[in-house]
Amino acid sequence: MGKHGSEPRTSSPPPRPSGQHERQGRPAGRRRARLNARSVAGQVFLLQLGIVVILVVATLLVIVVQVRNQAADQARDEVLVAGEAFANGPGTAAALDGPDPTAVLQPRAEAARKRSGLDAVVVTDTKGLRLTHPDPEQIGKPFVGTIGPALEGRTIVESAQGPVLPGGETDVVQSVVPVLRADGSVAGIVSVSVTVKHVNRDVAHRLPVLLATAGGALLVAAGGAALVSRRLKRQTHGLGPVEMTRMYEHHDAVLHSVREGVLIVGADGRLLLANDEARRLLDLPADAERRQIAELGLAPAAARLLASGESVTDAVHLVGDRLLAVNVRPVDRHGGPAGSVATLRDSTELRALAGRAELARERLQLLYDAGVGIGTTLDVARTAEELTEIAVPRFADFATVELLDAVTRGDEPDDTDAAGDAAMHRIAVRGVQADPPLYPAGSSLHFVTGSPMAEGLATGHAVLAADLHASEGWRAQDPERARRVLEHGIHSLISVPLRARGVVLGSVNYWRSEQEPFTEDDVSFAEELSARAALSVDNARRYAREHAVAVTLQRSLLPRALPEQTALDVAHRYLPAEAGVGGDWFDVLPLPGARVALVVGDVVGHGLHAAATMGRLRTAVHNFSALDRGPDELIGHLDELVARIDADEADPEAAGEGMITGATCLYAIYDPVTGRCTLARAGHPGPAVVHPDGTAEFPDVPVSPPLGLGAGLPVETAELHLPEGSTLALYTDGLVEDRHRDLEVGLGLLRAALAETADRSPDEVCRAVLDTVLPERPGDDVALLVARTRRLVPDRVAEWDVPADPAAVSRVRADVTRKLADWDLDEAAFATELVVSELVTNAIRYGTDPIRLRLLHDRNSLICEVSDGSSTSPHLRRAKSTDEGGRGLFLVARFAERWGTRYTGRGKVIWTEQSLHHGSRTPEAESEESLLDQWGDDGEF
């Protein structure tokens, strides 16, 4: 049979690159470089990599064979379909029966071959001679293949080796299809063929994809093996099989030699492993492993714990005569097999030591709490209560504290008190139950000789009565009460004397009813606890004594009663601070001319030093007021005095001890004749004024630095005009200042309180202010001075301008006599005329213009004032018998109750005050010589 001509479809599959295996093997090589081949992980990696390579190669071969078979099957299907289509095509049978089949069918066959992409379409007659062929030279030659079935009307597909096709191929896959006439007879045969090379070309097209897939699978498998090996390397720490075997042997040796029992229990409650220590502690039989935990003869509680698999930490169980601490941990929580691991530790001795250590720790904590919680206040009773609060119930079930009478008063007990015979007062009682049958707080006690309390006071050491039933001395104190105490369940006692600085202050008794009886070990702790409390009690006692002394000193220094005067209606309040005695003070000082000075001051600090400083400053204010200086001058003198005291008394080695650390003062002078009030202040809060219409305000009064800090600076004053019925309130900062509220809030409360008291008396004003403004727990002393103003009736004031002419004296004397008659003071006329004559004459002779005379008729006194423009002050002197003058002031001093000089901005005022309550002095009482003998001769007018 001739060769079919055919057009090649694709080239042959390219050979695998020689470096492909090297590229696939390179990651594995790098992995091997990181994984030691001697380690378990490295060996596992190499083994996994080899298995993967074999599997990938085998899979690739199988896939190639399968693809080749699929390509062959596909080629057989193609030639079969193409042959049947051409054989059954229109005109094929007719062409075969025609005169020149080749001329008709050859073009058709070539066109069909080219359209289908097949290698040959050959038509033969029934004798097997080719009528068409891609190679025209093969036309007329016999067909190479099987035609028998086709002549019978059957179609076959076969592999054959025919004539060389135009491409040089000979191996083909061809179909042999009969061409049937209409009557079913065979007119010819159609054969369509595809070369084997054509089929292999299709396989070659698929081969790169297969190789790429195989390479990817190899890389993925190698990467997975590397990851598994890395994890295995971490888990085995890079150890080799020999090393792992050795390590297992070492671990096994350690497991069985460790002094802690180890049990491994399965999820079904079977014992899988027990080391030697566990066998010893639990007394396990030799065949214990693989048996149920419940069958090993353990205590039921311990068996349930070991078989439960629940997590347990340091659970203590008694196994035989051993006290075991058991720890159980499940192993399946971390990816391990189901089951648990239990460790056993013999804690019989450790438990006892731990109990003693825990008790010691609790005692140390109790002593620390006592150091912090006892003595928080400087109150004796509260300190005793704090001791009982600390002791109950952590050390005792009941605690009582008794103190000597002298201690409760703040005094120091003497030897007779400490001997045990002195009366004691029970200060505090505390217990775990209410109303115990012990002596209640406030009871006065005398402990009988032989009782634990009396023995402790006598010896100065704690006394233990571990069993009160057997304590005859304690029962003898009060048999009936002792019976009730025992019935209440109280069975043990430690009585400890409270000693501080070598002095017995009282005793503290610790009682137990629910706890174990006291032992000797508890005695030393009770003494330590009581010693700490005794120091706090002694500190409170000393403070109480110092406080009492300071209060006594302060009360002696503060005014006990206000002096009589008619210019102001005054009320006052003084409240000492809870923290101790302070340095606040106040004063009401009558001044010449019916005037009154109001003073409020404050010394910073508390205690004896503050009270003593307050007394010194108050005395200084009295002395300076006697000079009748203005408020600014008085504050200036007081500032110089404080600065001098600080400079003279400061002790450099005592860190400023003795210095006045801070003092303030407000000084006001009210004149009932004019209604003017002149004020000056040094670091002190300003006054409050309530007008008759109820309006309350805080007038602006210039403030100077606190006393001692002025450094000679001038002091400014303020002058207020106060109508009659106005209220002037002076106070210290403790009234309005408080750590829990702002100053503005306190001043607002004060203004509101004063505004509602315009129609109340000063005493009621004081009460209302304190009720409204006073802080709940004042941190400083509070001094409050409330004054309601009065005015001197105008018709009781008489004034005359006196010309500088000696002849005017007689006229002035006559005017004064008439005015006294109008005032119904005829009895005082003689003495008043004498005083006026002497003062006016001296003013005319030694003073300067303007000269004025003023008479003031106060309630109980008659005041005569002569002013002039000179600052020259008169002085008393003793006149000789030969002197013609120099005796006028002796007469003035004789007939006047008081006299003096005060300076003003325009000169001076010489004043006298005659008492109307006791009657006027008469000149007949003594002779002139007797008067003169009373005076020395130091000075002249």
Side-chain angles (χ1 to χ4, degrees), residues 877 879-880 883-888:
R877 69 179 180 85
K880 298 178 181 180
D883 291 341
E884 295 182 359
R887 299 175 176 85

Side-chain angles (χ1 to χ4, degrees), residues 44-250:
V44 170
F45 173 74
L46 294 177
L47 178 61
Q48 289 179 337
L49 187 61
I51 293 173
V52 168
V53 170
I54 293 174
L55 291 177
V56 169
V57 171
T59 302
L60 181 62
L61 293 176
V62 171
I63 292 176
V64 170
V65 172
Q66 184 178 4
V67 169
R68 185 177 179 86
N69 292 336
Q70 289 178 354
D73 293 343
Q74 184 178 359
R76 296 169 70 88
D77 293 340
E78 288 181 358
V79 297
L80 178 61
V81 172
E84 289 179 349
F86 193 88
N88 296 324
T92 302
L96 288 173
D97 292 335
D100 191 1
T102 300
V104 176
L105 295 177
Q106 176 69 11
R108 292 183 182 180
E110 287 300 307
R113 179 182 68 79
K114 294 178 180 181
R115 287 195 303 271
S116 63
L118 301 174
D119 291 317
V121 177
V122 178
V123 180
T124 66
D125 56 13
T126 57
K127 296 179 180 180
L129 298 177
R130 299 189 183 101
L131 298 178
T132 64
H133 195 276
D135 184 4
E137 296 181 358
Q138 299 294 328
I139 297 176
K141 294 182 178 181
F143 173 75
V144 179
T146 303
I147 64 173
L151 294 177
E152 296 176 357
R154 292 183 290 113
T155 301
I156 65 171
V157 178
E158 63 180 356
S159 297
Q161 189 174 12
V164 177
L165 293 177
E169 296 84 359
T170 58
D171 295 332
V172 296
V173 176
Q174 60 185 9
S175 63
V176 182
V177 181
V179 179
L180 301 177
R181 296 186 183 90
D183 57 359
S185 61
V186 178
I189 300 170
V190 176
S191 175
V192 179
S193 61
V194 175
T195 65
V196 174
K197 183 177 181 180
H198 192 152
V199 175
N200 292 338
R201 187 167 60 246
D202 291 340
V203 175
H205 283 299
R206 299 183 184 183
L207 189 58
V209 177
L210 295 176
L211 292 177
T213 303
L218 182 60
L219 291 176
V220 171
L227 293 177
V228 172
S229 299
R230 285 186 63 185
R231 183 172 182 181
L232 182 61
K233 180 182 179 181
R234 287 195 302 268
Q235 294 177 347
T236 60
H237 301 284
L239 299 176
V242 176
E243 295 171 328
M244 292 187 65
T245 301
R246 186 181 300 113
M247 183 176 65
Y248 171 77
E249 294 173 350
H250 291 171

Side-chain angles (χ1 to χ4, degrees), residues 245-576:
T245 301
R246 186 181 300 113
M247 183 176 65
Y248 171 77
E249 294 173 350
H250 291 171
H251 287 184
D252 186 65
V254 171
L255 181 66
H256 290 283
S257 62
V258 71
R259 291 298 303 275
E260 188 172 85
V262 179
L263 299 175
I264 299 179
V265 182
D268 57 353
R270 294 182 179 274
L271 178 62
L272 302 180
L273 182 145
N275 69 345
D276 296 341
E277 183 68 9
R279 292 177 180 274
R280 184 184 70 83
L281 294 177
L282 299 178
D283 196 17
L284 297 177
D287 59 345
E289 295 180 352
R290 300 298 174 183
R291 292 177 58 183
Q292 291 288 334
I293 293 292
E295 301 174 358
L296 300 179
L298 302 178
R304 285 194 301 269
L305 178 64
L306 295 175
S308 65
E310 298 179 356
S311 180
V312 176
T313 301
D314 288 339
V316 179
H317 287 270
L318 182 64
V319 178
D321 58 348
R322 296 185 180 94
L323 198 61
L324 302 182
V326 182
N327 292 272
V328 180
R329 291 292 183 272
V331 297
D332 56 351
R333 295 182 179 179
H334 306 287
S340 61
V341 175
T343 60
L344 310 173
R345 186 172 64 254
D346 191 353
S347 62
T348 305
E349 297 180 359
L350 293 178
R351 190 71 176 179
L353 294 176
R356 289 194 292 270
E358 178 65 18
L359 178 61
R361 189 195 66 81
E362 292 177 356
R363 293 289 173 83
L364 287 176
Q365 182 64 37
L366 184 57
L367 290 177
Y368 171 78
D369 294 341
V372 174
I374 300 177
T376 59
T377 64
L378 291 174
D379 182 79
V380 173
R382 179 55 191 157
T383 303
E385 292 173 356
E386 290 171 344
L387 171 58
T388 61
E389 292 171 359
I390 290 292
V392 177
R394 298 164 65 180
F395 178 65
D397 296 320
F398 298 91
T400 60
V401 179
E402 300 85 32
L403 297 178
L404 296 169
D405 287 346
V407 176
T408 59
R409 296 192 304 267
D411 299 332
E412 186 168 346
D414 53 24
D415 295 338
T416 58
D417 292 336
D421 299 332
M424 303 185 70
H425 284 280
R426 178 154 289 178
I427 303 298
V429 177
R430 187 176 183 85
V432 295
Q433 300 174 4
D435 298 329
L438 301 170
Y439 288 110
S443 302
S444 181
L445 305 176
H446 280 83
F447 295 117
V448 300
T449 303
S451 65
M453 296 79 168
E455 184 179 351
L457 292 173
T459 61
H461 297 286
V463 176
L464 170 65
D467 185 5
L468 291 178
H469 294 81
S471 178
E472 297 295 336
W474 174 76
R475 296 168 65 92
Q477 176 72 33
D478 188 342
E480 176 59 27
R481 186 175 294 273
R483 181 186 60 80
R484 289 190 285 122
V485 168
L486 294 175
E487 291 176 353
H488 194 75
I490 299 176
H491 54 73
S492 185
L493 164 68
I494 295 180
S495 181
V496 185
L498 288 174
R499 294 174 56 89
R501 301 177 179 92
V503 177
V504 175
L505 307 175
S507 65
V508 55
N509 301 309
Y510 304 102
W511 313 77
R512 281 187 177 178
S513 60
E514 301 177 1
Q515 304 181 45
E516 294 295 326
F518 288 115
T519 63
E520 291 293 341
D521 294 337
D522 297 318
V523 173
S524 58
F525 175 77
E527 289 183 332
E528 177 66 22
L529 178 61
S530 303
R532 299 195 177 199
L535 288 175
S536 298
V537 171
D538 191 54
N539 290 336
R541 178 192 64 81
R542 290 170 177 265
Y543 171 78
R545 182 182 60 185
E546 293 180 0
H547 182 72
V549 173
V551 168
T552 303
L553 175 62
Q554 185 188 44
R555 289 177 179 175
S556 66
L557 295 176
L558 288 174
R560 299 185 180 181
L562 298 181
E564 293 185 3
Q565 44 82 32
T566 58
L568 297 170
D569 184 9
V570 182
H572 63 89
R573 291 291 189 278
Y574 180 83
L575 299 178

Side-chain angles (χ1 to χ4, degrees), residues 640-729:
E640 294 177 2
L641 173 64
V642 172
R644 187 166 60 253
I645 292 175
D646 286 344
D648 294 342
E649 299 186 4
D651 185 358
E653 298 181 358
E657 184 177 351
M659 296 179 62
I660 301 176
T661 57
T664 63
C665 182
L666 187 149
Y667 189 84
I669 297 178
Y670 174 70
D671 188 349
V673 177
T674 62
R676 288 193 299 269
C677 182
T678 306
L679 305 96
R681 60 180 177 138
H684 200 85
V689 175
V690 182
H691 296 283
D693 60 357
T695 304
E697 64 175 354
F698 296 99
D700 186 15
V701 178
V703 60
S704 299
L707 299 177
L709 303 178
L713 297 176
V715 179
E716 299 183 55
T717 61
E719 190 171 282
L720 308 178
H721 180 73
L722 301 179
E724 186 173 9
S726 300
T727 301
L728 184 65

Side-chain angles (χ1 to χ4, degrees), residues 854-913:
R854 185 172 73 168
L855 288 182
L856 304 177
H857 180 197
D858 202 357
R859 181 189 307 168
N860 298 318
S861 63
L862 179 64
I863 301 169
C864 175
E865 298 179 343
V866 177
S867 62
D868 65 81
S870 171
S871 60
T872 303
S873 177
H875 297 279
L876 285 174
R877 69 179 180 85
R878 180 169 182 173
K880 298 178 181 180
S881 59
T882 58
D883 291 341
E884 295 182 359
R887 299 175 176 85
L889 282 183
F890 289 104
L891 296 176
V892 171
R894 173 64 184 84
F895 289 103
E897 186 78 17
R898 295 187 303 160
W899 75 278
T901 304
R902 73 171 181 269
Y903 294 93
T904 64
R906 298 180 180 179
K908 67 177 181 299
V909 176
I910 301 176
W911 56 270
T912 64
E913 182 177 329

